[in-house]
Each structure stands twice: as C-alpha cells, then as structure tokens.
Amino acid sequence: MTAQSPAEGSATTTDVLLIGGGIMSATLGTFLKQLAPDWNIALFERLDRAGLESSDPWNNAGTGHAALCELNYSPAGPDGSVDPAKAIGINEQFQVSRQFWSFLVSQGHISNSFINPLPHMSFVWGDAHADYLRRRYESLSAQPLFRTMEHSEDHSKIAEWAPLIMEGRDAGQRVAASRVAGGTDVDFGNLTRQLVDHLGASGVELNFGHQVLDLTRASDGGWDVRVKNRATGEARTVHTRFVFIGGGGGALPLLQRSGIPEGKGFGGFPVSGQFLRCTDESIISRHNAKVYGQASVGAPPMSVPHLDTRFVEGRRSLLFGPYGGFSPKFLKKGSLLDLPFSVRPGNLVPMLAVAKDNTSLVKYLVTEVLKTREGKTGALQEYYPEGATEGWELITAGQRVQVIKKDPKKGGILQFGTELITSADGTVGALLGASPGASTAPPIMVNLLKRCFPKEFGGWEPKIKEMIPGYGVKLNENENLLEELTNDTNRVLGLDG
Ligand SMILES: Cc1cc2nc3c(=O)[nH]c(=O)nc-3n(C[C@H](O)[C@H](O)[C@H](O)COP(=O)(O)OP(=O)(O)OC[C@H]3O[C@@H](n4cnc5c(N)ncnc54)[C@H](O)[C@@H]3O)c2cc1C
C-alpha cells in the first residue's frame, strides 16, 4: 500500500488509478475494494458526475444482454443450422453479472433499484426469417440456460405477448416470435452511480471534472498520469502502480499515449445513434418487453431495431431504434477531432483495410443519416404498425466506438465486441468497444484481475467465489446450481415478480 498526500487533499501517489467514471471503472473499483481493501484507489472522470456517457440510461438500450433475444449472438451457419455456443457464452457471462450484483445488494452496498424483470422477445416476419427463428428456438431451447424460451407463429399468441407489434398488422403476414419471460432491463446509469457512491463512501478518492491528459511510464515501472482540473485549468501528475483506462470511447487515445506494444494497431470507428422515445403514456403502458428484430444489411450487429420498455430511475418508458448515424466524436461530449487525431502510422493499414472492406456499413450509415422523420416513422411502423409520427421524440444515444484491429489476412478488421487490452507486466489495462458491454462488466473485470494481478489472484479466489458462487462453473452444464442461483439472484434482485 502506498501513502497519500493529505496536505493537498488529493493523492499524488496511489496504488490504482481508474480513468473514467463509467460502469467499467466502477465495477473494477468495486472488485478491488472487496479484494484488496487497503489499496489506495483514485478515480478521475472528466464530467461532473459518474455514468453520464455510454453508461447513462438514455445513451444505451438498457438490455441485460443474455443472448435471449439478440439474434446476432445466434446467427445461422452456412447450412442454415444455429450453433448455440456463442449465445451460451454470452448468457454464462450475464449469470456472473447477476451473481456479483446480487452479492452487492445482499451486502447493502447498493440497492436493487437498477434492475427490473422484463420479457425478452425476438420478432421477425417473412418465410426466411421465420424459418431461421424456429431453428434458433429449437437449438437454444434444448440448452438449460434457454429452457424457458417459448416460440410462436400464432398472431393472437404474439399479440398477447406484445399487443403493439400486432395491432394493424396484415393478418396474412407470416410472423414468428421467441420469448423468454425472465429477461431484464438494467438502468446502467443508476448502477454506475450507486457503485461510485459506494466507492466514495469506502475511501476511494473521486475526482470529477478532471480530464486525464497523458500517461507515461515511471522509472519504478509504475505510471505517471497527468490530470487537469477542467474548472481551474490546473494540471498535476499522479503516480500509480496500476492504471485502468476505462474512458469508454475516450480509452483509445489514452491507450495510444501509453505506448504499450499490446495497444499498437488498434483504431476506432465511431457510430452514433438516435432513438425515438414515446411521449404518450397510454401507449407506453401497453408494452412490456424488449422486442429485437433482424439487422438491416450492413448494419452493425447491435444496431438491430428494437421496440423496448425501459425503466429509467424507476419510471417506465418506451423507445424504438436505434437509427444509425455518423459523428467523428469518440464520446457524446467529445471532440470532432477525435477520429482524425486517432489515426497513427501504426493503425493506418488496419483502418484503410476496414474502410475498403466495409462498404455495406458505410452505405447503411449514409442511408440512416439521410432518413427523414417520415422514414424513421416508417421503420417504427415495421414493429408497431399503428405508430404515428406524433407522440414520439428523437433523442441522441451514446457513441459506440467499434474496435478496428490488425488482421494477418485482411490487414485490418472491424470488431463489434469488447476488447480487453493488458500490458505484459500487468500495470495497465484498457477496455475498448461496446457489445455486450455493460451487461458483462463483472466477468470482463474478473478477467482483467486475472491478467493484471497474477500474483494476488490465487489469494483472491475464495473471496471471488463468495461474491460469485458459480465462479468457474459452466452453469449450462450444471442444472442444479443454475436453478439454485437463478432462484437466489431473482429473489435478491427483485426479479421474481
Ligand atoms: C447506443 C448504445 C446502446 C447500448 N446498449 C447496451 C445495452 O442494451 N446493454 C448493454 O449491456 N450495453 C449496451 N451498450 C454498451 C454499454 O453502454 C457500454 O459498454 C458501457 O456503458 C461502457 O462503459 P464504460 O465505462 O467503458 O464507458 P462510459 O460509460 O462511456 O464511461 C467512460 C467514462 O470515461 C470518461 N472519460 C473519457 N475520457 C476521459 C479522460 N481522458 N479523462 C477522464 N475521464 C474520461 C467519460 O466522460 C465517461 O464518463 C450500448 C452502447 C450504446 C452506445
């Protein structure tokens, strides 16, 4: 443990420095407070509050991603069959998150106000999509993690599940839906702020309104991190043993500044988005599900249209989207120079390769950007045929910075998942990318702990097992434990209603 400098009221040296006050830093800080309570931790966030960028509830879709309804996690193979492996992997990760959050609630560190039970549905139309959805249902429902999945092509059954999507629909249209009643909606902003408040109460030094400008290797192997108070303009350097670059879209430039070889070659492609938010309470109250459809050609997988109920600070709302867009900013409150400044000799080849190979994405984004308000209502009506332009307002979602990375064959590829980057000596970790994102912050952070703190990790395992009782166990292969943990977490998180 290192000493702080109380004379200045803020640390000049610390054990752990967390960059960013989003869900990722908040989760890592929470783990470390449990595992190494005597370590000094300082958090630096450029905005005035935690969780205002991608983790804010209006900036993401609030889906507890467990691959229950998102079709991109269970695509059809070349022969049309559906391999459940990827969906199982995502669901197993979400089980880890549920257990970690339940531990924190049961300890009284946070309340369960951030999570609500909400059915997850996949909904498609037309023969090809309906045939695929049936095959997906047959493949997934054979797995213990997806055993409660229901499926129907019956208009009246689907109308029972989600009336808005069936009212006014052509009675002759072939439609299909799969549904899991036990899905969740997660207010990640609420969760982030609760976690950060708990960190503050546990002695973590919280520095809001502080921008991290640079990080350089110190002579003792740690890091000197340059931070600026945005209100006063005053800059100072904080020395740390370990730094986590949890800046969301702002992580890439800082990773590049660190100069670690593991960060070379990475680039970012920002995709912005908008949602239509319903303002009519009589419509909002008639929908109770997250209904995900199929992505348009070229659309990034997580830009699939969805009509979804959300609970923001406990209040029910209804949103449709996202509509894709383009902005060179890496953060919603970022700079238009973010993208051009991120181009380096080391990532130029991957970035050019991605530009060449992703013309369908560019075409998709151009079409989306040019979509008029009527065009947007047209897209809404595919999911809610009686939806009108009135009664809906457009809101801007968070920025997703999709990861561009080197590829030996293609030169560079665009990746839609999250990428955890750690230095060989374990003194720095960074998180890039968006999906499945916030839902899987706890398993991502366990992975980071394993990679960055190999000496301590063995000693930490009993505590990790206390926080995550199914740690290291594949629940899909252990039905009894799956049932026990599902019941426990449902009860603690208030999901059994
Ligand atoms: C449109 C959209 C929909 C999504 N839907 C879902 C969903 O349904 N379910 C799900 O699980 N995930 C979803 N995600 C992904 C999820 O929102 C993100 O994975 C997650 O919020 C990322 O958390 P983070 O802490 O890495 O980043 P953020 O929440 O963006 O936090 C990063 C923080 O770092 C700060 N920062 C940046 N640079 C600096 C700097 N230099 N100095 C100091 N502070 C800095 C920023 O101000 C910000 O507060 C969605 C994302 C988007 C954009």
Side-chain angles (χ1 to χ4, degrees):
M1 186 176 99
T2 53
Q4 286 194 304
S5 165
E8 291 171 348
S10 48
T12 52
T13 168
T14 187
D15 296 304
V16 172
L17 191 147
L18 305 170
I19 303 177
I23 188 67
M24 297 298 171
S25 286
T27 303
L28 178 59
T30 306
F31 268 114
L32 284 170
K33 260 291 143 206
Q34 294 291 326
L35 298 169
D38 58 343
W39 286 9
N40 286 322
I41 305 178
L43 180 150
F44 289 87
E45 163 57 53
R46 65 193 289 272
L47 302 177
D48 293 335
R49 236 182 131 199
L52 291 181
E53 277 284 343
S54 290
S55 302
D56 184 85
W58 296 119
N59 288 345
N60 64 69
T63 305
H65 286 308
L68 304 176
C69 59
E70 313 85 335
L71 302 178
N72 55 302
Y73 294 137
S74 43
D79 62 351
S81 66
V82 176
D83 179 351
K86 189 171 179 188
I88 291 170
I90 301 283
N91 195 305
E92 291 277 8
Q93 291 186 60
F94 192 63
Q95 302 300 327
V96 171
S97 299
R98 284 176 62 121
Q99 292 167 62
F100 180 59
W101 297 335
S102 293
F103 167 80
L104 297 172
V105 172
S106 65
Q107 297 296 303
H109 299 325
I110 58 173
S111 81
N112 65 12
S113 60
F114 66 92
I115 190 163
N116 282 285
L118 190 67
H120 283 195
M121 269 176 74
S122 316
F123 176 71
V124 297
W125 55 87
D127 287 341
H129 290 326
D131 288 344
Y132 153 72
L133 198 67
R134 168 152 289 281
R135 283 194 302 275
R136 174 184 180 269
Y137 162 71
E138 285 163 357
S139 166
L140 291 189
S141 61
Q143 303 298 326
L145 284 168
F146 298 90
R147 195 143 285 161
T148 56
M149 186 176 276
E150 304 164 82
H151 184 83
S152 182
E153 294 197 12
D154 176 26
H155 278 230
S156 57
K157 184 75 200 165
I158 299 172
E160 233 175 72
W161 289 341
L164 297 186
I165 63 173
M166 297 310 292
E167 282 168 11
R169 191 170 290 278
D170 174 359
Q173 186 183 39
R174 183 171 170 203
V175 293
S178 296
R179 175 184 191 256
V180 176
T184 54
D185 174 73
V186 185
D187 178 341
F188 290 108
N190 171 316
L191 175 60
T192 304
R193 290 187 265 276
Q194 287 204 63
L195 292 176
V196 170
D197 285 350
H198 175 63
L199 289 179
S202 318
V204 170
E205 185 195 293
L206 304 178
N207 301 276
F208 293 110
H210 279 70
Q211 172 110 13
V212 173
L213 304 174
D214 201 3
L215 60 163
T216 48
R217 188 64 93 165
S219 52
D220 66 354
W223 291 89
D224 285 332
V225 180
R226 193 87 183 132
V227 296
K228 186 171 105 178
N229 180 326
R230 295 179 81 202
T232 63
E234 198 185 313
R236 66 189 169 104
T237 300
V238 182
H239 178 267
T240 185
R241 275 200 302 133
F242 170 81
V243 57
F244 173 59
I245 309 177
L252 176 65
L254 291 171
L255 175 66
Q256 291 174 328
R257 294 207 71 87
S258 76
I260 59 166
E262 295 80 359
K264 292 259 159 32
F266 281 98
F269 183 80
V271 176
S272 62
Q274 290 178 317
F275 286 109
L276 278 177
R277 177 167 61 190
C278 187
T279 54
D280 184 337
E281 290 296 335
S282 66
I283 296 172
I284 296 170
S285 61
R286 295 189 59 231
H287 189 74
N288 190 50
K290 295 214 177 261
V291 178
Y292 274 64
Q294 277 284 21
S296 329
V297 177
M302 291 318 294
S303 295
V304 288
H306 44 93
L307 182 68
D308 58 334
T309 299
R310 293 194 208 168
F311 296 92
V312 176
E313 294 299 343
R315 187 154 179 245
R316 177 188 284 270
S317 57
L318 175 63
L319 287 97
F320 178 76
Y323 299 97
F326 178 74
S327 154
K329 292 182 183 182
F330 279 179
L331 291 162
K332 196 169 165 182
K333 297 185 178 71
S335 155
L336 293 171
L337 298 174
D338 286 343
L339 178 61
F341 278 12
S342 73
V343 181
R344 303 285 167 96
N347 63 17
L348 190 59
V349 170
M351 291 189 78
L352 289 174
V354 163
K356 176 174 71 63
D357 293 344
N358 286 272
T359 43
S360 58
L361 171 63
V362 174
K363 204 169 141 209
Y364 159 79
L365 289 176
V366 171
T367 315
E368 286 285 286
V369 169
L370 295 179
K371 218 175 233 169
T372 59
R373 186 62 198 261
E374 285 66 36
K376 288 187 166 83
T377 303
L380 166 69
Q381 285 166 344
E382 292 190 329
Y383 288 83
Y384 172 26
E386 295 189 343
T389 305
E390 305 79 52
W392 295 80
E393 60 188 6
L394 264 181
I395 63 165
T396 302
Q399 284 290 99
R400 285 175 195 279
V401 181
Q402 311 289 3
V403 177
I404 293 176
K405 62 194 272 196
K406 282 184 191 162
D407 181 80
K409 283 200 196 117
K410 297 183 168 173
I413 49 164
L414 190 61
Q415 185 186 283
F416 294 102
T418 37
E419 183 85 22
L420 176 65
I421 295 146
T422 53
S423 61
D425 66 357
T427 58
V428 56
L431 193 84
L432 304 179
S435 302
S439 300
T440 51
I444 292 172
M445 290 307 143
V446 172
N447 191 11
L448 179 146
L449 293 168
K450 206 183 281 175
R451 279 160 59 171
C452 291
F453 300 97
K455 282 200 208 103
E456 292 88 347
F457 196 81
W460 287 346
E461 268 182 322
K463 182 73 191 179
I464 292 181
K465 202 115 184 76
E466 187 192 326
M467 297 189 281
I468 303 164
Y471 171 71
V473 181
K474 295 234 177 313
L475 295 184
N476 199 49
E477 292 160 21
N478 287 272
E479 287 196 55
N480 291 344
L481 188 60
L482 171 63
E483 193 184 341
E484 186 189 318
L485 292 175
T486 304
N487 291 340
D488 286 354
T489 52
N490 274 349
R491 181 179 45 77
V492 176
L493 296 174
L495 301 176
D496 39 9

